[in-house]
Amino acid sequence: MKESKEITEIIAALRKSEVDLQLNNEQLKTLNLALRVAEEKSAILNSIIESSDDAIISKNLDGIITGWNAAAQRIFGHRAHEIIGRSILNLIPPERHHEEPKIIEQLRSGKRIDHFETQRLRKDGTLVDVSLTISPIFDSTGNIIGLSKIARDITPQRHAEVMSERLSAIIASSDDAIVSKDLNSIITSWNDGAVRIFGFTADEMIGESIFKIIPEDRREEEPKILSQLKQGLRVDHFETIRRRKDGTYIHVSLTISPIKDRKGNVIGLSKIARDISERKEIEKKKDEFIGFVSHELKTPLTSLRSYIQISMHKALQQGHDFIGHALSKAEMQTKKMEKMIADFLNVSRLEEGKMKLNLGNFDLVELINGSIADASIISAKHQLRYAGETEAFVLADPEKIGLVLTNLISNAQKYSPLGGEIIVSCQKVGQSFSISVKDVGIGIAPENQKTLFDKFSRIDSDQTRSISGFGIGLYLVASIIALHGSEISVQSEPGKGSSFMFILPIANTATATPDDSKISNDE
């Protein structure tokens, strides 16, 4: 019996051990699962820390660095083995050491620090602008055992802020109006210069259409400008007229640039408007003076040329060859003076709006050959020839086109070497004729081509200083061609000559009825 009882007790003990073992196995499974989850979380956390673009640094309460990720190495230059175990003060400039105790004091109270902007030291001794986010690290009992720092390099933002502040200061202090607008022509910014020039305050203009300052007869300019700028092209020194708040008009020179986003898409426009009223007034007075003087010189010069011609005729009749030759040279100079005075008068008419077109159908080839013949008489030192169509009937003003050809051929003669060839050509292109005057002269540098057709524009170089001229011939040419609805262009390289080109429409077989707004007799 005794043995049976002992056996029963042993069996009971074994059963209890089995239950305890089962419980221990379940606990072990739970612990293993928790450990696996913790390891996965740790791996994910380590991956995030190592792949972060921000420096992530841990340290104990004594300021000794205990953790250092790859971004910290990129930003500060120290490798992990070089900095772990060293004081955080190695990264702090001496004049900023006072920041650390304040940070630790705040974190000891359990508060984190968000986006604290400061400067820290790189390994090479240079400073880096950083934004710090600092959090306390707690143990399982809730005690603070260390600190975690996330340091973001904000140097690019700092540079951008400085540039933005400089730009804002420049815009605010500029004497020019600086205005930005969106692609719907709605104004988005308006500086003090714009207030001074146009009279409207920023509150009155921001959110309004730019058409508020554009006169009715200039409205077609805006779509043309927008079309050019949407292609990413800027507009330089476009002279026009705008309206002030008081209703008066002002002459301005506009420089307009596209505003692009990071992807290069045009999202708006920036306009710089310079008040050129004073310059325009000076130019007006100068033009009036030139017109007056030219008129006054024209009559005595005509008389002088007549006396020279009579004297030359008599000298040659009496066998005074030297005097006849000298008078022939004098007559040639009077012709040059007459052309110069005619150019000044034409510029004066142009500026006053009195130069209109008398359009008609005529043979351009005949006009070209006549211009070549006249130019050959004035200067026989160059080889002038025509190339192209045998006839070319165009719809244009023959007198004005003759003036264009005379100026272009005269320019080619002035800037070509003795004996140099000058070719005037006329070729049919579609429904137009393309006319060009080509020389083998000194050529024009690209930077000078931009202002070539401006009034009084002269190229200042050793090669051109000895060549006479006032810089109005090409201005007059460009203006006359523009009146015909065309445009003068130039192709040139220094030392390789120049080619000036423009096009004119083919004349209709029926009698042309030109635009009345462009037709009247010159006054």
Side-chain angles (χ1 to χ4, degrees):
M1 251 343 249
K2 183 177 178 184
E3 287 178 358
S4 176
K5 184 179 179 182
E6 287 177 354
I7 290 170
T8 302
E9 287 175 354
I10 290 169
I11 291 170
L14 287 171
R15 284 177 177 169
K16 185 176 181 304
S17 296
E18 184 181 0
V19 170
D20 289 342
L21 187 59
Q22 286 176 350
L23 288 173
N24 287 336
N25 283 336
E26 288 301 319
Q27 288 173 349
L28 184 61
K29 286 179 182 179
T30 302
L31 287 173
N32 283 334
L33 179 61
L35 182 61
R36 241 187 349 261
V37 170
E39 286 175 348
E40 286 175 2
K41 285 183 178 180
S42 178
I44 291 168
L45 184 60
N46 285 334
S47 176
I48 291 170
I49 289 172
E50 286 307 310
S51 62
S52 172
D53 288 331
D54 298 330
I56 300 176
I57 304 166
S58 61
K59 60 178 182 176
N60 62 25
L61 293 179
D62 296 321
I64 302 302
I65 295 168
T66 56
W68 186 264
N69 74 336
Q73 179 178 323
R74 285 195 301 272
I75 292 172
F76 298 106
H78 298 277
R79 296 178 182 275
H81 71 270
E82 294 172 333
I83 199 72
I84 289 175
R86 297 177 64 188
S87 171
I88 196 71
L89 295 178
N90 284 283
L91 304 179
I92 303 175
E95 67 274 13
R96 291 184 179 269
H97 279 186
H98 63 279
E99 293 175 355
E100 191 65 9
K102 291 179 181 178
I103 290 170
I104 291 176
E105 183 182 348
Q106 184 170 335
L107 289 163
R108 280 184 187 276
S109 64
K111 297 176 184 177
R112 59 180 274 153
I113 293 170
D114 285 314
H115 310 303
F116 172 57
E117 294 188 1
T118 183
Q119 287 185 315
R120 290 297 180 255
L121 272 175
R122 291 191 178 99
K123 184 180 179 179
D124 61 8
T126 58
L127 294 173
V128 56
D129 291 296
V130 293
S131 172
L132 301 178
T133 296
I134 312 171
S135 305
I137 301 172
F138 299 96
D139 64 11
S140 58
T141 60
N143 296 316
I144 297 174
I145 57 172
L147 310 174
S148 171
K149 278 189 180 182
I150 299 175
R152 175 162 292 175
D153 183 357
I154 57 170
T155 305
Q157 293 95 308
R158 283 287 191 209
H159 288 167
E161 285 172 10
V162 170
M163 291 300 293
S164 178
E165 287 167 6
R166 274 187 202 154
L167 186 59
S168 296
I170 291 168
I171 290 171
S173 61
S174 174
D175 289 331
D176 297 331
I178 301 177
V179 180
S180 60
K181 60 181 182 177
D182 64 22
L183 294 179
N184 296 314
S185 297
I186 301 301
I187 295 166
T188 54
S189 72
W190 186 265
N191 76 331
D192 290 342
V195 176
R196 285 191 296 273
I197 290 173
F198 297 108
F200 293 98
T201 65
D203 290 339
E204 292 172 321
M205 289 306 292
I206 292 174
E208 295 287 327
S209 171
I210 196 70
F211 286 105
K212 194 169 181 177
I213 60 170
I214 301 178
E216 294 292 332
D217 60 347
R218 301 256 175 185
R219 298 242 163 160
E220 78 283 353
E221 294 174 354
E222 188 68 6
K224 291 177 183 177
I225 290 170
L226 280 171
S227 175
Q228 184 169 335
L229 290 161
K230 281 179 179 178
Q231 299 173 43
L233 306 173
R234 59 181 273 151
V235 175
D236 283 316
H237 310 302
F238 172 59
E239 294 188 3
T240 184
I241 294 173
R242 291 295 180 256
R243 186 171 49 223
R244 289 191 180 101
K245 184 178 180 179
D246 62 8
T248 58
Y249 294 100
I250 180 174
H251 288 275
V252 293
S253 173
L254 301 178
T255 295
I256 312 169
S257 304
I259 300 171
K260 299 179 182 179
D261 62 17
R262 290 182 180 178
K263 295 180 180 179
N265 300 314
V266 177
I267 57 172
L269 311 174
S270 170
K271 275 189 181 181
I272 300 175
R274 176 161 293 176
D275 181 356
I276 57 171
S277 299
E278 186 177 344
R279 194 191 86 199
K280 285 292 183 182
E281 187 61 30
I282 292 169
E283 285 180 2
K284 182 182 175 184
K285 289 178 180 177
K286 184 164 61 176
D287 291 338
E288 288 172 353
F289 174 74
I290 289 170
F292 171 76
V293 171
S294 298
H295 275 292
E296 293 300 308
L297 286 174
K298 189 176 182 181
T299 302
L301 184 60
T302 303
S303 299
L304 176 61
R305 186 178 175 192
S306 298
Y307 286 130
I308 289 173
Q309 287 173 336
I310 293 168
S311 300
M312 182 173 63
H313 181 69
K314 286 188 175 182
L316 292 172
Q317 274 186 334
Q318 296 172 9
H320 300 301
D321 293 339
F322 175 77
I323 295 174
H325 181 69
L327 288 170
S328 174
K329 292 285 187 184
E331 185 195 18
M332 208 177 296
Q333 293 304 315
T334 60
K335 285 182 180 179
K336 288 182 179 179
M337 289 182 69
E338 278 183 341
K339 179 187 174 299
M340 186 170 60
I341 290 170
D343 282 350
F344 277 127
L345 286 172
N346 282 321
V347 167
S348 181
R349 290 190 189 108
L350 189 66
E351 297 291 336
E352 292 171 8
K354 292 180 179 179
M355 179 178 279
K356 306 295 181 182
L357 300 183
N358 295 308
L359 298 179
N361 294 339
F362 66 94
D363 184 4
L364 183 59
V365 174
E366 186 179 336
L367 181 65
I368 291 172
N369 284 325
S371 298
I372 289 174
D374 291 341
S376 298
I377 293 169
I378 294 172
S379 175
K381 297 175 181 177
H382 300 89
Q383 300 176 42
L384 280 161
R385 69 180 179 90
Y386 170 72
E389 309 291 337
T390 54
E391 63 177 22
F393 283 89
V394 296
L395 175 62
D397 183 327
E399 183 187 344
K400 305 300 187 302
I401 296 303
L403 185 59
V404 166
L405 292 169
T406 299
N407 270 289
L408 291 178
I409 294 170
S410 173
N411 256 26
Q413 288 175 316
K414 279 198 283 187
Y415 294 100
S416 293
L418 295 179
E421 187 178 48
I422 297 168
I423 302 172
V424 185
S425 67
C426 175
Q427 302 289 340
K428 186 180 177 184
V429 180
Q431 294 303 305
S432 302
F433 285 107
S434 175
I435 303 96
S436 70
V437 177
K438 185 177 181 180
D439 63 57
V440 289
I442 61 175
I444 307 159
E447 61 271 18
N448 292 322
Q449 293 177 26
K450 296 176 183 177
T451 58
L452 196 60
F453 301 104
D454 293 350
K455 188 166 59 173
F456 302 121
S457 174
R458 290 270 294 160
I459 298 170
D460 185 20
S461 71
D462 293 337
Q463 292 174 298
T464 60
R465 287 189 190 113
S466 60
I467 300 172
S468 62
F470 289 92
I472 61 171
L474 289 178
Y475 168 73
L476 192 59
V477 164
S479 301
I480 291 172
I481 296 300
L483 282 175
H484 281 80
S486 186
E487 187 178 10
I488 186 82
S489 62
V490 62
Q491 291 179 352
S492 184
E493 284 186 55
K496 294 185 179 180
S498 304
S499 181
F500 290 85
M501 296 150 289
F502 62 94
I503 61 170
L504 291 174
I506 294 175
N508 296 325
T509 52
T511 303
T513 307
D515 182 359
D516 290 339
S517 66
K518 291 186 177 179
I519 302 174
S520 76
N521 292 323
D522 288 347
E523 298 178 17

